[in-house]
Amino acid sequence: MPKMKTKSSAKKRFTFTGTGKIKRKHAYKSHILTKKSKKRKRNLTYSTIVSSADLVKVRDMLVC
């Protein structure tokens, strides 16, 4: 059986932390920024951890 391949799209979007959690960026920060508040845009800048509901799906895409 051949090796499992990592999804290229997931490889570009997710990174691992030192403790093995998966980091992601926030959505809604690319365009139509004029109607969003400064606070909202600032909070979308920072990274966050993938939620437990999506963790299994993301791990499967990253084949880890």
Side-chain angles (χ1 to χ4, degrees), residues 37-55:
S37 68
K38 284 183 183 180
K39 181 180 179 180
R40 183 174 168 193
K41 287 187 281 192
R42 184 174 62 245
N43 289 333
L44 289 172
T45 300
Y46 309 119
S47 298
T48 186
I49 303 296
V50 172
S51 71
S52 58
D54 299 322
L55 195 60

Side-chain angles (χ1 to χ4, degrees), residues 1-46:
M1 192 144 133
K3 290 182 181 178
M4 296 275 294
K5 284 191 176 180
T6 300
K7 295 267 190 275
S8 292
S9 58
K11 180 168 49 177
K12 295 166 191 171
R13 286 172 173 82
F14 301 105
T15 55
F16 287 94
T17 63
T19 55
K21 295 175 184 172
I22 303 175
K23 267 192 338 185
R24 67 171 179 87
K25 295 209 172 195
H26 284 102
Y28 307 111
K29 185 73 189 343
S30 58
H31 59 96
I32 314 175
L33 299 173
T34 51
K35 63 174 81 169
K36 294 170 188 157
S37 68
K38 284 183 183 180
K39 181 180 179 180
R40 183 174 168 193
K41 287 187 281 192
R42 184 174 62 245
N43 289 333
L44 289 172
T45 300
Y46 309 119

